[in-house]
Amino acid sequence: MADWTSYLNFGISIAKQASEIVLTAFHQQKEVTLKSSPADLVTETDQRVEKILISAIRNQYPQHRFIGEESVAAGERVELTDSPTWIIDPIDGTVNFVHRFPFVAISIAFSVNKQTEFGIVYSLVEDKMFHAQRGRGAFLNGQPLHASGQEDINRCVVVTEIGAERDDLALSTMTTNIFRLLKLPVHGVRALGTAAVDMCQVATGGADAYYHIGMHCWDIAASAIIVQEAGGVVMDTDGSKFDMMSRRVIAASSTAVAHHISQVIQAFPCRRDDEDPSKCVCGATGVNGLS
Ligand code: LIP
């Protein structure tokens, strides 16, 4: 098995360097533009940091490929091949960044042969560096991470997001999901505003599950391996194998909790990240057989 440790260390170092730009801008006035909805924001800092990260990686590894949130927003297609590929969200939690809500992360995942080899999530306001390398464990600022192992849904804290969608169908589906979980009941539902940091809470054991519909591969590619390496499970919301391009995910402390959530929540189909952008399909269906 190839050793990607030097690539991981390079990724951690450029995430730390780029975080200085984000942190400086965090305290300043920002120019905000909208993407897919009135709640899907982007700033010049998102775009600048992604360019800096990609340029630094390309300089070090000229043959590697990239999937970056802002490159895709500028028209690049999402294509995960067998080639070494860096999957980058330069600022995960852009709404938080704009509002100075202190949960903002740089998320970097590295994939070879369509398998994630390592993930880095730097929650930069908190100065929390989460990382994991396939087969070598998950860490927070160098300390090992372990998921809670909780198997009883009624003893769970569940993290989720409403996301940027503001159409009635998406909002009613997502609020109904929260209602259904609260009525089980679960101990609590939380949302930090960044998928990457949300999901890392499962790796710390501080939350027992995270689920989301509508996020993108760059939001969760890194945190998925961090949860898995911390002993958690990651799957699709319909209970099938995790597919980072599907825009649906459940990460949990145990298979039992993940499957319970899969049976309770409903999903609405959205265009896959790797689908032709013109083929957007939106509509609530009982993807899990729920009406
Ligand atoms: C964000 C996600 C968050 C979701 C937001 C947005 P971004 O990513 O991390 O979970 O609720 O709608 O998608 O756009 O800040 O990189």
Side-chain angles (χ1 to χ4, degrees), residues 40-41 69 89 91-95 161-164 193-196 198 210 212 218-219:
D40 188 7
L41 313 183
E69 176 176 11
D89 190 340
I91 298 181
D92 189 48
T94 298
V95 171
E161 291 288 339
I162 293 298
T194 145
D198 283 336
Y210 162 79
H212 196 7
W218 46 78
D219 293 320

PDB file of all heavy atoms in Angstrom, residues 40-41 69 89 91-95 161-164 193-196 198 210 212 218-219, ligand 1:
ATOM      1  N   ASP A  40     -26.993  30.816  -0.255  1.00  0.00           N
ATOM      2  CA  ASP A  40     -25.769  30.150  -0.733  1.00  0.00           C
ATOM      3  C   ASP A  40     -24.773  31.237  -1.123  1.00  0.00           C
ATOM      4  O   ASP A  40     -24.784  31.741  -2.243  1.00  0.00           O
ATOM      5  CB  ASP A  40     -26.095  29.253  -1.938  1.00  0.00           C
ATOM      6  CG  ASP A  40     -24.897  28.384  -2.337  1.00  0.00           C
ATOM      7  OD1 ASP A  40     -23.880  28.392  -1.599  1.00  0.00           O
ATOM      8  OD2 ASP A  40     -24.978  27.733  -3.402  1.00  0.00           O
ATOM      9  N   LEU A  41     -23.936  31.612  -0.162  1.00  0.00           N
ATOM     10  CA  LEU A  41     -23.079  32.794  -0.318  1.00  0.00           C
ATOM     11  C   LEU A  41     -21.677  32.402  -0.767  1.00  0.00           C
ATOM     12  O   LEU A  41     -21.206  31.292  -0.537  1.00  0.00           O
ATOM     13  CB  LEU A  41     -22.979  33.544   1.022  1.00  0.00           C
ATOM     14  CG  LEU A  41     -24.270  33.807   1.787  1.00  0.00           C
ATOM     15  CD1 LEU A  41     -23.956  34.632   3.042  1.00  0.00           C
ATOM     16  CD2 LEU A  41     -25.307  34.484   0.921  1.00  0.00           C
ATOM     17  N   GLU A  69     -14.748  23.597  -4.771  1.00  0.00           N
ATOM     18  CA  GLU A  69     -16.093  24.184  -4.764  1.00  0.00           C
ATOM     19  C   GLU A  69     -16.204  25.386  -5.686  1.00  0.00           C
ATOM     20  O   GLU A  69     -17.121  25.484  -6.507  1.00  0.00           O
ATOM     21  CB  GLU A  69     -16.481  24.599  -3.346  1.00  0.00           C
ATOM     22  CG  GLU A  69     -17.842  25.310  -3.324  1.00  0.00           C
ATOM     23  CD  GLU A  69     -18.332  25.655  -1.942  1.00  0.00           C
ATOM     24  OE1 GLU A  69     -17.570  25.556  -0.972  1.00  0.00           O
ATOM     25  OE2 GLU A  69     -19.511  26.038  -1.839  1.00  0.00           O
ATOM     26  N   ASP A  89     -12.760  22.297  -0.218  1.00  0.00           N
ATOM     27  CA  ASP A  89     -13.692  23.367   0.133  1.00  0.00           C
ATOM     28  C   ASP A  89     -12.866  24.428   0.856  1.00  0.00           C
ATOM     29  O   ASP A  89     -12.472  24.215   1.993  1.00  0.00           O
ATOM     30  CB  ASP A  89     -14.824  22.849   1.035  1.00  0.00           C
ATOM     31  CG  ASP A  89     -15.923  23.898   1.209  1.00  0.00           C
ATOM     32  OD1 ASP A  89     -15.637  25.096   0.964  1.00  0.00           O
ATOM     33  OD2 ASP A  89     -17.043  23.526   1.598  1.00  0.00           O
ATOM     34  N   ILE A  91     -13.565  27.386   2.087  1.00  0.00           N
ATOM     35  CA  ILE A  91     -14.232  27.877   3.302  1.00  0.00           C
ATOM     36  C   ILE A  91     -15.537  27.105   3.433  1.00  0.00           C
ATOM     37  O   ILE A  91     -16.505  27.378   2.706  1.00  0.00           O
ATOM     38  CB  ILE A  91     -14.509  29.393   3.252  1.00  0.00           C
ATOM     39  CG1 ILE A  91     -13.215  30.206   3.142  1.00  0.00           C
ATOM     40  CG2 ILE A  91     -15.294  29.819   4.497  1.00  0.00           C
ATOM     41  CD1 ILE A  91     -13.415  31.715   3.111  1.00  0.00           C
ATOM     42  N   ASP A  92     -15.551  26.124   4.335  1.00  0.00           N
ATOM     43  CA  ASP A  92     -16.807  25.408   4.593  1.00  0.00           C
ATOM     44  C   ASP A  92     -17.483  26.137   5.758  1.00  0.00           C
ATOM     45  O   ASP A  92     -16.912  26.246   6.841  1.00  0.00           O
ATOM     46  CB  ASP A  92     -16.527  23.951   4.933  1.00  0.00           C
ATOM     47  CG  ASP A  92     -17.818  23.159   4.993  1.00  0.00           C
ATOM     48  OD1 ASP A  92     -18.635  23.286   4.047  1.00  0.00           O
ATOM     49  OD2 ASP A  92     -18.052  22.452   5.980  1.00  0.00           O
ATOM     50  N   GLY A  93     -18.705  26.647   5.471  1.00  0.00           N
ATOM     51  CA  GLY A  93     -19.379  27.495   6.447  1.00  0.00           C
ATOM     52  C   GLY A  93     -19.256  28.952   6.049  1.00  0.00           C
ATOM     53  O   GLY A  93     -18.968  29.819   6.871  1.00  0.00           O
ATOM     54  N   THR A  94     -19.475  29.209   4.755  1.00  0.00           N
ATOM     55  CA  THR A  94     -19.303  30.589   4.269  1.00  0.00           C
ATOM     56  C   THR A  94     -20.298  31.547   4.909  1.00  0.00           C
ATOM     57  O   THR A  94     -19.953  32.692   5.221  1.00  0.00           O
ATOM     58  CB  THR A  94     -19.431  30.627   2.729  1.00  0.00           C
ATOM     59  OG1 THR A  94     -18.398  29.828   2.155  1.00  0.00           O
ATOM     60  CG2 THR A  94     -19.314  32.041   2.204  1.00  0.00           C
ATOM     61  N   VAL A  95     -21.531  31.085   5.147  1.00  0.00           N
ATOM     62  CA  VAL A  95     -22.501  31.958   5.833  1.00  0.00           C
ATOM     63  C   VAL A  95     -21.977  32.318   7.215  1.00  0.00           C
ATOM     64  O   VAL A  95     -22.021  33.477   7.641  1.00  0.00           O
ATOM     65  CB  VAL A  95     -23.885  31.273   5.916  1.00  0.00           C
ATOM     66  CG1 VAL A  95     -24.837  32.076   6.808  1.00  0.00           C
ATOM     67  CG2 VAL A  95     -24.495  31.113   4.524  1.00  0.00           C
ATOM     68  N   GLU A 161     -28.119  19.811   8.993  1.00  0.00           N
ATOM     69  CA  GLU A 161     -28.129  21.160   8.427  1.00  0.00           C
ATOM     70  C   GLU A 161     -29.392  21.341   7.600  1.00  0.00           C
ATOM     71  O   GLU A 161     -29.886  20.386   7.019  1.00  0.00           O
ATOM     72  CB  GLU A 161     -26.918  21.373   7.505  1.00  0.00           C
ATOM     73  CG  GLU A 161     -25.593  21.425   8.211  1.00  0.00           C
ATOM     74  CD  GLU A 161     -25.403  22.701   9.008  1.00  0.00           C
ATOM     75  OE1 GLU A 161     -26.079  23.705   8.717  1.00  0.00           O
ATOM     76  OE2 GLU A 161     -24.583  22.677   9.944  1.00  0.00           O
ATOM     77  N   ILE A 162     -29.884  22.567   7.570  1.00  0.00           N
ATOM     78  CA  ILE A 162     -30.975  22.862   6.648  1.00  0.00           C
ATOM     79  C   ILE A 162     -30.380  23.174   5.273  1.00  0.00           C
ATOM     80  O   ILE A 162     -30.988  22.948   4.252  1.00  0.00           O
ATOM     81  CB  ILE A 162     -31.824  24.049   7.172  1.00  0.00           C
ATOM     82  CG1 ILE A 162     -32.554  23.612   8.453  1.00  0.00           C
ATOM     83  CG2 ILE A 162     -32.805  24.529   6.130  1.00  0.00           C
ATOM     84  CD1 ILE A 162     -33.539  22.471   8.257  1.00  0.00           C
ATOM     85  N   GLY A 163     -29.147  23.654   5.247  1.00  0.00           N
ATOM     86  CA  GLY A 163     -28.486  23.896   3.965  1.00  0.00           C
ATOM     87  C   GLY A 163     -28.961  25.189   3.319  1.00  0.00           C
ATOM     88  O   GLY A 163     -29.617  26.014   3.950  1.00  0.00           O
ATOM     89  N   ALA A 164     -28.642  25.307   2.037  1.00  0.00           N
ATOM     90  CA  ALA A 164     -28.897  26.567   1.329  1.00  0.00           C
ATOM     91  C   ALA A 164     -30.235  26.538   0.584  1.00  0.00           C
ATOM     92  O   ALA A 164     -30.706  27.570   0.101  1.00  0.00           O
ATOM     93  CB  ALA A 164     -27.763  26.840   0.332  1.00  0.00           C
ATOM     94  N   GLY A 193     -23.518  24.778  10.979  1.00  0.00           N
ATOM     95  CA  GLY A 193     -23.437  25.595   9.763  1.00  0.00           C
ATOM     96  C   GLY A 193     -22.291  25.236   8.854  1.00  0.00           C
ATOM     97  O   GLY A 193     -22.041  25.908   7.851  1.00  0.00           O
ATOM     98  N   THR A 194     -21.559  24.171   9.195  1.00  0.00           N
ATOM     99  CA  THR A 194     -20.503  23.662   8.318  1.00  0.00           C
ATOM    100  C   THR A 194     -20.542  22.137   8.369  1.00  0.00           C
ATOM    101  O   THR A 194     -20.312  21.555   9.437  1.00  0.00           O
ATOM    102  CB  THR A 194     -19.086  24.167   8.692  1.00  0.00           C
ATOM    103  OG1 THR A 194     -18.114  23.146   8.436  1.00  0.00           O
ATOM    104  CG2 THR A 194     -18.955  24.642  10.107  1.00  0.00           C
ATOM    105  N   ALA A 195     -20.807  21.546   7.212  1.00  0.00           N
ATOM    106  CA  ALA A 195     -20.957  20.078   7.139  1.00  0.00           C
ATOM    107  C   ALA A 195     -19.704  19.387   7.647  1.00  0.00           C
ATOM    108  O   ALA A 195     -19.772  18.389   8.367  1.00  0.00           O
ATOM    109  CB  ALA A 195     -21.246  19.673   5.707  1.00  0.00           C
ATOM    110  N   ALA A 196     -18.549  19.932   7.275  1.00  0.00           N
ATOM    111  CA  ALA A 196     -17.286  19.275   7.633  1.00  0.00           C
ATOM    112  C   ALA A 196     -17.114  19.218   9.148  1.00  0.00           C
ATOM    113  O   ALA A 196     -16.790  18.164   9.715  1.00  0.00           O
ATOM    114  CB  ALA A 196     -16.117  20.017   6.986  1.00  0.00           C
ATOM    115  N   ASP A 198     -19.523  19.741  11.390  1.00  0.00           N
ATOM    116  CA  ASP A 198     -20.646  18.949  11.920  1.00  0.00           C
ATOM    117  C   ASP A 198     -20.247  17.476  12.009  1.00  0.00           C
ATOM    118  O   ASP A 198     -20.402  16.816  13.032  1.00  0.00           O
ATOM    119  CB  ASP A 198     -21.845  19.020  10.954  1.00  0.00           C
ATOM    120  CG  ASP A 198     -22.633  20.312  11.007  1.00  0.00           C
ATOM    121  OD1 ASP A 198     -22.609  21.008  12.033  1.00  0.00           O
ATOM    122  OD2 ASP A 198     -23.277  20.628   9.981  1.00  0.00           O
ATOM    123  N   TYR A 210     -24.716  12.403  12.266  1.00  0.00           N
ATOM    124  CA  TYR A 210     -24.869  13.585  11.395  1.00  0.00           C
ATOM    125  C   TYR A 210     -25.542  13.078  10.125  1.00  0.00           C
ATOM    126  O   TYR A 210     -25.205  11.991   9.633  1.00  0.00           O
ATOM    127  CB  TYR A 210     -23.504  14.191  11.070  1.00  0.00           C
ATOM    128  CG  TYR A 210     -23.502  15.116   9.877  1.00  0.00           C
ATOM    129  CD1 TYR A 210     -23.962  16.423   9.979  1.00  0.00           C
ATOM    130  CD2 TYR A 210     -23.073  14.659   8.627  1.00  0.00           C
ATOM    131  CE1 TYR A 210     -23.977  17.261   8.875  1.00  0.00           C
ATOM    132  CE2 TYR A 210     -23.098  15.494   7.519  1.00  0.00           C
ATOM    133  CZ  TYR A 210     -23.554  16.787   7.662  1.00  0.00           C
ATOM    134  OH  TYR A 210     -23.589  17.610   6.569  1.00  0.00           O
ATOM    135  N   HIS A 212     -27.379  14.694   6.235  1.00  0.00           N
ATOM    136  CA  HIS A 212     -27.633  15.886   5.424  1.00  0.00           C
ATOM    137  C   HIS A 212     -28.047  15.443   4.020  1.00  0.00           C
ATOM    138  O   HIS A 212     -27.584  14.427   3.524  1.00  0.00           O
ATOM    139  CB  HIS A 212     -26.379  16.761   5.381  1.00  0.00           C
ATOM    140  CG  HIS A 212     -26.612  18.163   4.918  1.00  0.00           C
ATOM    141  ND1 HIS A 212     -27.865  18.694   4.689  1.00  0.00           N
ATOM    142  CD2 HIS A 212     -25.742  19.161   4.644  1.00  0.00           C
ATOM    143  CE1 HIS A 212     -27.740  19.947   4.292  1.00  0.00           C
ATOM    144  NE2 HIS A 212     -26.472  20.260   4.253  1.00  0.00           N
ATOM    145  N   TRP A 218     -17.338  18.191  -1.777  1.00  0.00           N
ATOM    146  CA  TRP A 218     -16.232  18.920  -1.138  1.00  0.00           C
ATOM    147  C   TRP A 218     -16.545  19.256   0.324  1.00  0.00           C
ATOM    148  O   TRP A 218     -15.647  19.472   1.105  1.00  0.00           O
ATOM    149  CB  TRP A 218     -15.896  20.190  -1.922  1.00  0.00           C
ATOM    150  CG  TRP A 218     -17.086  21.000  -2.330  1.00  0.00           C
ATOM    151  CD1 TRP A 218     -17.813  21.847  -1.545  1.00  0.00           C
ATOM    152  CD2 TRP A 218     -17.712  21.004  -3.620  1.00  0.00           C
ATOM    153  NE1 TRP A 218     -18.860  22.381  -2.276  1.00  0.00           N
ATOM    154  CE2 TRP A 218     -18.825  21.895  -3.548  1.00  0.00           C
ATOM    155  CE3 TRP A 218     -17.451  20.369  -4.840  1.00  0.00           C
ATOM    156  CZ2 TRP A 218     -19.658  22.144  -4.639  1.00  0.00           C
ATOM    157  CZ3 TRP A 218     -18.286  20.608  -5.916  1.00  0.00           C
ATOM    158  CH2 TRP A 218     -19.366  21.486  -5.826  1.00  0.00           C
ATOM    159  N   ASP A 219     -17.841  19.279   0.676  1.00  0.00           N
ATOM    160  CA  ASP A 219     -18.215  19.539   2.074  1.00  0.00           C
ATOM    161  C   ASP A 219     -17.854  18.369   2.992  1.00  0.00           C
ATOM    162  O   ASP A 219     -17.574  18.573   4.173  1.00  0.00           O
ATOM    163  CB  ASP A 219     -19.739  19.770   2.186  1.00  0.00           C
ATOM    164  CG  ASP A 219     -20.214  21.045   1.511  1.00  0.00           C
ATOM    165  OD1 ASP A 219     -19.511  22.060   1.613  1.00  0.00           O
ATOM    166  OD2 ASP A 219     -21.302  21.009   0.897  1.00  0.00           O
TER     167      ASP A 219
HETATM  168  C1  LIP B   1     -22.072  24.735   3.547  1.00  0.00           C
HETATM  169  C2  LIP B   1     -22.218  23.420   4.254  1.00  0.00           C
HETATM  170  C3  LIP B   1     -23.347  23.484   5.261  1.00  0.00           C
HETATM  171  C4  LIP B   1     -24.620  23.783   4.553  1.00  0.00           C
HETATM  172  C5  LIP B   1     -24.506  25.067   3.790  1.00  0.00           C
HETATM  173  C6  LIP B   1     -23.327  25.061   2.824  1.00  0.00           C
HETATM  174  P1  LIP B   1     -20.250  26.022   2.140  1.00  0.00           P
HETATM  175  O1  LIP B   1     -20.986  24.670   2.657  1.00  0.00           O
HETATM  176  O2  LIP B   1     -21.018  23.105   4.922  1.00  0.00           O
HETATM  177  O3  LIP B   1     -23.473  22.260   5.938  1.00  0.00           O
HETATM  178  O4  LIP B   1     -25.647  23.883   5.494  1.00  0.00           O
HETATM  179  O5  LIP B   1     -25.678  25.251   3.040  1.00  0.00           O
HETATM  180  O6  LIP B   1     -23.530  24.098   1.824  1.00  0.00           O
HETATM  181  O7  LIP B   1     -21.110  26.517   1.020  1.00  0.00           O
HETATM  182  O8  LIP B   1     -20.189  26.981   3.258  1.00  0.00           O
HETATM  183  O9  LIP B   1     -18.899  25.557   1.648  1.00  0.00           O
END
